Amino acid sequence: MKGLACVTMLVLGLGLTACQSSNAPKNTRTHEYTLKQKCPTLMDMKVGDVLVFNAPENPSTGYQWQLLQPLKIFKTEETYTQNEVEQGAVGVGGTKTFRFSAEKPGQDYIELVHIRAWESSKQPDQQWRCRIRVS
């Protein structure tokens, strides 16, 4: 009897997993850019698509990549990954990654700047921009 109950639970679990998978957005794309790559004049994306931007960053210099203004149609995630180094090393750089997930239709403007927080009135050291239309 225990064996039959286990098989029944397994079949039900697989059925629920299949239902969840079928609700996932289809034909989504990930657009990846680095500092050296310019965004098109107007990028077209669909709801569910993702734009990923990677750039070198070394927080020990005070310079960090920042999003200038909040976005209306994207969910934004930021991560920083330090480069691998010998133990005890200081002032080590890494990579800043921004992940923008399109949540609803509309237009938005991503403007990223590489600045020191206390020098906000100064021209950014580097910048990256992208105007996006989501359908």
Side-chain angles (χ1 to χ4, degrees):
M1 192 63 147
K2 285 184 181 179
L4 181 59
C6 288
V7 170
T8 303
M9 293 299 285
L10 179 64
V11 170
L12 286 174
L14 291 173
L16 290 174
T17 302
C19 289
Q20 290 173 346
S21 297
S22 65
N23 291 335
K26 294 179 177 142
N27 301 324
T28 60
R29 292 185 56 197
T30 299
H31 308 269
E32 293 198 40
Y33 287 90
T34 64
L35 185 56
K36 295 178 182 180
Q37 299 169 306
K38 290 189 178 210
C39 185
T41 304
L42 179 63
M43 176 186 278
D44 284 313
M45 294 175 62
K46 295 186 183 314
V47 172
D49 284 0
V50 175
L51 184 144
V52 176
F53 174 78
N54 293 298
E57 181 179 272
N58 188 339
S60 69
T61 65
Y63 283 96
Q64 293 184 330
W65 283 99
Q66 297 178 11
L67 184 62
L68 270 187
Q69 57 193 358
L71 302 175
K72 300 172 220 134
I73 62 173
F74 287 94
K75 175 184 173 191
T76 305
E77 299 172 49
E78 296 178 40
T79 57
Y80 174 76
T81 306
Q82 182 176 312
N83 296 338
E84 290 188 28
V85 294
E86 294 180 28
Q87 187 174 354
V90 294
V92 177
T95 302
K96 180 73 167 251
T97 300
F98 287 87
R99 182 178 175 87
F100 303 100
S101 302
E103 293 191 314
K104 58 186 176 181
Q107 281 197 28
D108 228 330
Y109 186 63
I110 296 172
E111 189 169 12
L112 298 167
V113 292
H114 190 239
I115 59 172
R116 291 179 172 148
W118 63 89
E119 297 178 336
S120 59
S121 62
K122 187 178 171 184
Q123 184 68 17
D125 176 54
Q126 298 174 328
Q127 57 190 10
W128 188 85
R129 299 176 179 145
C130 193
R131 184 171 303 286
I132 301 171
R133 176 175 50 215
V134 176
S135 57

